Amino acid sequence: MALLEVKDLKVRVEEREILHGLTLTVNEGEVHAIMGPNGSGKSTLSHVIAGKPGYEVTDGQILFKGEDLLEMDPDERAAKGVFLAFQYPVEIPGVATMTFLRTALNAQRKARGESEYSTPDFLRKVREVSKALNIPQDMLKRGVNVGFSGGEKKRNEVLQMALFEPSLCILDEMDSGLDIDALRIAADGVNALRSPKRAMVVITHYQRLLNYIVPDFVHVMSRGRVVKSGDKELALELEASGYTQFEDAA
Amino acid sequence: MNVAVAKTGKGRAVSDLFTSAEGRLPGSPAVIAARREAFETYERLGLPHRRIEEWKYTDLRALVGEVLPLAAAPDAAALASAADAVKAHAVAGARKLVLVDGVFAAGLSDVKALASEVGFKTLRETLEKDAGLLKTAAVDAVISLNAAMASDGVVLSIADGAQLSAPIQIIHVATTDSASAFTRSQVAIGKGARATIIESFVAGAKAYQVNDAVIVSIGDDADVAHIRLLDDAPDAVNITSQFVTVGANTKVNFFNMTSGAAVSRLQGFIMFAGEGSELSINGVNLLQKTEHGDTTLVVDHAVPNCVSREIFRAVVDDRAHSVFQGRIIVRPDAQKTDGKMMTRALLLSDEAEADNKPELEIFADDVSCGHGATAGALDDNLLFYLKARGLPEKQAQALLIQAFVGEAIEQIADDNLREHVIGIAERWLERRS
């Protein structure tokens, strides 16, 4: 059974159809890149998988480990193992990062019927994970993402990924707003989390990110559909020729 | 000529309230005469209603209807049930002074453990000689009613230079259903003293009413925290009037949190009487169901060079109604006054209401005063982020609500006390439907 199956998905936002029948299959351990020009529906796809309100699915389905994802609230999806790394992680003043991480982790564990972490166990786990990702303890003492640089925000997303251990990670435009050094650090974090049990969907406009997170498959989206799929060579081809050809094809 | 007997909203004669209680109210003959006069004022004015400007948003005739009869003095059973409530709400390490149904309960209090610099009497004892405590700087119908009916209270005097390590917690417990308690207390804090005073209103009964008055005077060079925690029963009424005078070069930190009562109003009349003082007034209203919570503050800059800061947060759910009225008066001589207030309301339902009425009355020309107000719902983007990380809706909301009120709660310097307040807020969040 595939980990994620998106079948002929049609999605509207305020009466306007954004996805016109998108199909995508992701298996355990695979890294898929979804590329496409602005407005092609890449972010819409990531939001619909995570369950963001404001999107109306008019046709098709999304199965995750064989279960109907569209029937679940966003928190249930997270507990089942879906993780969306946000393009723009929000700042939450007044909510301490540690409180947030612990509340979220324990909420997921509780939803799965697992025992909640005690404070010492939790602290040990965060310390272990943040050390592996080279995240300074000082960052964890602040409000969630408050005053973080673009790079720090993305590292915080990677930290959560490492802590929650999802089986599907969707990275939405992870490279946006990052300079090359910050991008490398974030990408190293992601690469460390690659595993045969975990799949990743990397959404990006630029090929650059894929030099660091090398995909098994590349899909090109245009106007709400996947118009071409291939291996990592497709990304290089796109870098050379641009998206225009696919816009015509769509 | 109108000779009709004044009636309550429920059709009873208003005067019954006083005549049925008079024999039980403490005080010398002069005190009883002062009480009778105060009651006549109340009888003439009746419960405040919306056509009285200060009570525009809190119409007690519509919200309360009538004042319930005075509660009987607590018996052994009442004291036993009060003991449970006290245990549940006591702040760790604080010296407790407990009023049960408006009567001081020595057996539940820590009078002997009070520091030697703290003078203590009951209002009952004080009124045997002196009617002075029945007079206040401001008067309205509910304050007059309090003067007429006050059955007891605590009278504290903290000596000059006293540095109290333990907070003093005045706990009001109601144990009688459908009855009223009237209390009046005085806290006099000497020059250079440092003290923390906590007032808690807690429930051991249903549908009761509380009318409390507190007269606070703070000397020069003092450092005072005054924390009030209203955690009354969801069908209770609590009307509290505070009268505060602040000396020179003094720091005062006020905090109020309302997390209970069907109808509540805290009206504070605060006056700077000495230069160079700083006042921080912070408040949180946590309201649900059809609760109505009103905080009305009058900060009177009567002298120059004082600073006042008001931070107020309201979280309003269901069909609840929060009111904040803040008036800053700057008298003609009060140059270099720095007075600011900021109010934010978080509306958790379409039917929730928050009214905000700032008033600046400035008669001096070299001052810095301002106010700001916002009202809004929880941010959908923040909620989605938290839900996408596995927090169920209610838990995600709770985290954001705690952050919202956090800015006001953080002003409480004492860690232990702040944790106590956060605990009350958490219990409120758990009660949300």
Side-chain angles (χ1 to χ4, degrees), chain A residues 66 94 104 128 139 145 149 160 162:
Chain A
E128 186 186 296
M139 243 173 82
N145 292 323
S149 69
Q160 292 171 46

Side-chain angles (χ1 to χ4, degrees), chain A:
Chain A
M1 181 177 42
L3 182 67
L4 176 73
E5 282 180 276
V6 180
K7 292 184 189 165
D8 200 26
L9 189 69
K10 293 184 180 168
V11 175
R12 284 175 170 217
V13 178
E14 290 170 356
E15 302 301 303
R16 200 171 136 247
E17 194 169 272
I18 308 285
L19 299 183
H20 310 291
L22 183 139
T23 296
L24 177 72
T25 302
V26 177
N27 294 302
E28 276 186 345
E30 295 175 351
V31 174
H32 291 242
I34 296 183
M35 303 184 69
N38 291 329
S40 58
K42 305 186 300 286
S43 284
T44 296
L45 175 64
S46 70
H47 291 160
V48 172
I49 294 173
K52 187 172 182 177
Y55 298 89
E56 188 196 348
V57 176
T58 53
D59 204 359
Q61 49 175 182
I62 305 179
L63 300 179
F64 182 68
K65 297 176 185 169
E67 289 184 84
D68 185 354
L69 206 59
L70 295 173
E71 286 299 306
M72 298 177 206
D73 285 332
D75 53 300
E76 296 173 70
R77 299 182 196 197
K80 295 270 182 195
V82 176
F83 182 92
L84 169 66
F86 283 57
Q87 182 179 3
Y88 301 110
V90 294
E91 296 192 13
I92 315 181
V95 176
T97 301
M98 287 301 254
T99 307
F100 159 69
L101 293 175
R102 185 175 165 206
T103 311
L105 181 60
N106 278 339
Q108 292 192 19
R109 292 181 66 85
K110 193 177 166 194
R112 291 192 293 262
E114 299 165 8
S115 67
E116 296 183 29
Y117 274 109
S118 69
T119 303
D121 287 349
F122 167 76
L123 290 174
R124 203 171 304 125
K125 185 153 171 78
V126 172
R127 218 171 288 132
E128 186 186 296
V129 167
S130 55
K131 202 175 164 196
L133 291 167
N134 224 348
I135 287 174
Q137 294 296 307
D138 157 67
M139 243 173 82
L140 304 175
K141 288 181 184 148
R142 290 184 261 167
V144 176
N145 292 323
V146 176
F148 284 22
S149 69
E152 286 174 328
K153 283 180 185 170
K154 297 295 164 79
R155 266 150 81 194
N156 194 12
E157 298 290 283
V158 178
L159 169 69
Q160 292 171 46
M161 223 189 282
L163 201 58
F164 303 152
E165 302 174 280
S167 38
L168 174 67
C169 303
I170 302 158
L171 314 179
D172 189 7
E173 309 255 3
M174 184 160 184
D175 42 348
S176 69
L178 294 194
D179 61 31
I180 202 76
D181 292 330
L183 178 60
R184 188 180 295 131
I185 293 171
D188 285 348
V190 171
N191 284 329
L193 296 172
R194 288 178 75 149
S195 103
K197 284 280 166 200
R198 179 174 295 139
M200 296 193 184
V201 175
V202 181
I203 292 172
T204 182
H205 186 98
Y206 302 103
Q207 188 269 337
R208 189 179 69 164
L209 176 65
L210 306 182
N211 290 334
Y212 300 98
I213 305 172
V214 180
D216 302 307
F217 302 95
V218 174
H219 310 277
V220 181
M221 270 186 80
S222 180
R223 299 188 187 173
R225 285 190 184 87
V226 171
V227 290
K228 188 164 185 180
S229 297
D231 59 15
K232 64 184 176 187
E233 298 304 321
L234 178 57
L236 294 169
E237 192 184 309
L238 275 172
E239 182 75 357
S241 60
Y243 288 115
T244 331
Q245 49 169 329
F246 297 108
E247 293 194 332
D248 294 342

Side-chain angles (χ1 to χ4, degrees), chain A residues 51-52 74-75 78 83-84 86 90-93 100 103-104 107-108 157 160, chain B residues 381-382 384-393 395 399-400 402-404 410:
Chain A
K52 187 172 182 177
D75 53 300
F83 182 92
L84 169 66
F86 283 57
V90 294
E91 296 192 13
I92 315 181
F100 159 69
T103 311
Q108 292 192 19
E157 298 290 283
Q160 292 171 46
Chain B
N381 289 320
L382 303 192
F384 174 62
Y385 187 81
L386 295 175
K387 286 194 276 187
R389 295 300 178 251
L391 271 71
E393 173 84 26
Q395 216 181 343
L399 207 55
L400 294 178
Q402 280 176 294
F404 177 80
E410 273 165 25

Side-chain angles (χ1 to χ4, degrees), chain B residues 199-281:
Chain B
E199 286 182 90
S200 300
F201 293 86
V202 305
K206 283 185 280 188
Y208 58 87
Q209 297 179 349
V210 172
N211 181 329
D212 181 46
V214 190
I215 301 161
V216 180
S217 63
I218 304 172
D220 299 347
D221 305 303
D223 187 349
V224 175
H226 186 144
I227 313 293
R228 178 177 178 273
L229 305 169
L230 188 158
D231 203 6
D232 275 311
D235 49 7
V237 175
N238 184 316
I239 309 292
T240 294
S241 309
Q242 290 179 339
F243 309 90
V244 182
T245 40
V246 180
N249 303 312
T250 279
K251 272 179 76 169
V252 190
N253 204 331
F254 276 105
F255 178 86
N256 174 67
M257 186 159 83
T258 297
S259 58
V263 179
S264 68
R265 163 135 157 159
L266 167 64
Q267 45 180 8
F269 305 90
I270 299 156
M271 191 177 75
F272 286 103
E275 292 188 37
S277 287
E278 278 178 43
L279 181 61
S280 155
I281 311 176

